[in-house]
Amino acid sequence: MPQCSNVLPGEESDVSGLGAPRTLMLVVTEDWYLASHRLPLIRAAVADGWRVIAATRVRDHLTVIAEAGAEVVALPMARESRNLAAEWAAFAALTRLYREYQPDIVHHVGIKPMLYGGWAARRAGIPRVVQAFAGLGHFYTDGGASSAKRALLERLLRPVTTSRCTFVLVQNDDDAAILLGHGMADPLRLRTIRGGGVDIEQFAPSPIPGGIPLVVLPARMLASKGVREFVDAARRCRANGVQARFALAGRRDEANPDALSIAELTSWVAEGAVEWLDHVADMPALLRQTSLVVLPSYREGMPKVLLEAAAVGRPIVTTAVPGCREVVTDGLNGLLVPARDAVALAAAMQSLLNDPARLQSMGSAGRRRAEAEFTDAGAAAHYVALYHEVMQCSA
């Protein structure tokens, strides 16, 4: 098994022509997220002359991250940890890393890296910081965190999201408006980049298969992804005579307070309401077998799975909430329904399943949109341009 590397691939060359490579440190709690969402960014930054260091909890994805061109540094940080000693150790480790590597820019993704990394950067004297909200999460989802918890989080985060040379990054305009309204970003340094994009070659278009249609909800098994509403809608579709398979595709996320229980998931399977495929490693293959992709989420940043569905040419039924409505134009490449409304969700699913020609036309529209707006190469170019902008900031 490869070891965490301290050797820069291609260190001899300087693509940027500016002398020693500038150093970018990406900080993410889980290596699977880097592997799933940020490999094109790493490749683009390396090609632009950056030395890229990925600090993350190393589990199963060291090789693929290193092959993209990053040095991988093990970070003892876990989303699920509530142990004060472990949390202090994670903060201290980040401070040591910043002092050792002296990165020109640190790019934190997610709440815990933003909080710990933001304060560690201040302590280590690293002025240029990108604070990236992957979504506003359960803290801003209706029925999520209490107002007291949200106020405490904002009080801790605000000094490290509004300081000079700190740029705040969001994935949709709704999130940008909320952060500005709560004083969580300087409007002069707030930027929107719509996610990491999708590899339109890996997720190549394919015809919607014939036979009994497969309807899939691909997401982590969280209540806020609308899983319960999907199960209810599947029941309603069957009761109305719809012949289809309904499947959940995604792992449980035990570290998330919103995770559904094993008991609830297995009870739905035993009932025959849905299938549960758990984690699916080959998403292009699953989407090629699918007729309709459904994501009844309560709120998103920019759901990558909807970009993947669009790229493969699959129509989408999703909710009219931030993140989702950036991907789907109602009536063009899918249908939008209210969040938490299983009746409306079932009606939308049924209307498309009963109209194969519309499924095909919406799928084709989704592919065209993915090619025009959501490529991973385009997203990576936006990130690299942001880094150049950040470097112009003087502390």
Side-chain angles (χ1 to χ4, degrees):
M1 174 181 174
Q3 300 299 311
C4 296
S5 172
N6 288 317
V7 179
L8 173 65
E11 192 170 21
E12 318 71 43
S13 62
D14 172 25
V15 180
S16 68
L18 297 176
R22 295 154 296 175
T23 299
L24 165 69
M25 183 171 284
L26 284 170
V27 182
V28 179
T29 52
E30 306 293 347
D31 64 351
W32 65 260
Y33 182 90
L34 277 171
S36 174
H37 290 69
R38 293 294 179 262
L39 294 185
L41 163 59
I42 292 172
R43 296 187 189 104
V46 170
D48 191 57
W50 292 83
R51 177 192 186 191
V52 179
I53 300 165
T56 187
R57 180 162 63 162
V58 178
R59 288 188 164 183
D60 304 319
H61 300 89
L62 168 61
T63 299
V64 70
I65 297 169
E67 287 175 349
E71 302 174 33
V72 182
V73 177
L75 179 65
M77 179 181 289
R79 288 179 302 147
E80 68 272 18
S81 173
R82 299 293 184 270
N83 180 281
L84 289 178
E87 298 307 283
W88 178 256
F91 171 73
L94 273 176
T95 305
R96 287 194 299 271
L97 285 176
Y98 296 164
R99 286 173 173 164
E100 176 183 354
Y101 287 97
Q102 288 295 303
D104 295 280
I105 297 174
V106 288
H107 179 165
H108 306 124
V109 182
I111 296 295
K112 186 175 280 191
M114 289 167 57
L115 180 60
Y116 294 14
W119 285 102
R122 287 172 68 124
R123 191 176 187 187
I126 306 299
R128 298 184 185 92
V129 178
V130 175
Q131 299 279 45
F133 287 86
L136 296 191
H138 70 280
F139 278 97
Y140 289 93
T141 302
D142 291 340
S146 69
S147 58
K149 288 182 179 179
R150 185 165 58 244
L152 175 60
L153 176 67
E154 290 179 343
R155 183 176 181 182
L156 293 172
L157 268 177
R158 191 173 288 111
V160 293
T161 58
T162 58
S163 55
R164 182 173 175 80
C165 294
T166 292
F167 286 69
V168 171
L169 185 59
V170 294
Q171 299 189 41
N172 63 70
D173 293 338
D174 293 88
D175 288 358
I178 287 176
L179 293 178
L180 287 175
H182 286 250
M184 295 295 292
D186 186 321
L188 297 177
R189 294 188 296 277
L190 177 62
R191 302 291 181 269
T192 301
I193 298 177
R194 296 188 296 175
V198 61
D199 184 336
I200 60 173
E201 295 182 2
Q202 181 186 14
F203 289 86
S206 66
I208 295 175
I212 296 177
L214 173 62
V215 182
V216 173
L217 189 166
R220 290 173 294 158
M221 294 297 100
L222 307 176
S224 59
K225 297 295 183 182
V227 178
R228 293 190 180 103
E229 288 82 357
F230 177 79
V231 175
D232 190 356
R235 293 190 188 109
R236 293 173 183 274
C237 286
R238 284 208 179 88
N240 290 333
V242 174
Q243 298 295 310
R245 293 170 54 203
F246 300 89
L248 306 171
R251 62 165 64 91
R252 291 184 67 246
D253 186 358
E254 296 87 349
N256 195 302
D258 203 29
L260 297 171
S261 69
I262 286 285
E264 189 169 20
L265 289 163
T266 54
S267 72
W268 292 332
V269 175
E271 171 196 340
V274 294
E275 303 167 37
W276 180 29
L277 308 179
D278 208 327
H279 172 67
V280 176
D282 191 346
M283 280 302 297
L286 174 63
L287 291 172
R288 286 194 294 269
Q289 300 169 36
T290 300
S291 297
L292 178 63
V293 172
V294 179
L295 183 65
S297 181
Y298 301 169
R299 186 182 192 94
E300 294 286 333
M302 177 59 63
K304 189 170 189 287
V305 70
L306 293 190
L307 305 183
E308 294 169 349
V312 175
R314 294 301 178 265
I316 298 164
V317 175
T318 189
T319 42
V321 301
C324 297
R325 61 183 175 225
E326 274 70 30
V327 182
V328 173
T329 299
D330 189 43
L332 177 65
N333 62 320
L335 296 176
L336 296 175
V337 299
R340 305 172 188 265
D341 189 337
V343 174
L345 181 64
M349 291 162 57
Q350 184 170 335
S351 71
L352 293 184
L353 291 170
N354 288 336
D355 192 345
R358 199 176 186 204
L359 285 176
Q360 293 285 0
S361 64
M362 284 187 166
S364 297
R367 173 65 187 188
R368 291 193 295 271
R369 188 165 189 186
E371 291 175 338
E373 300 181 36
F374 295 119
T375 67
D376 56 0
H382 286 304
Y383 282 105
V384 171
L386 172 64
Y387 297 148
H388 282 271
E389 183 182 6
V390 174
M391 287 298 295
Q392 299 305 309
C393 184
S394 300

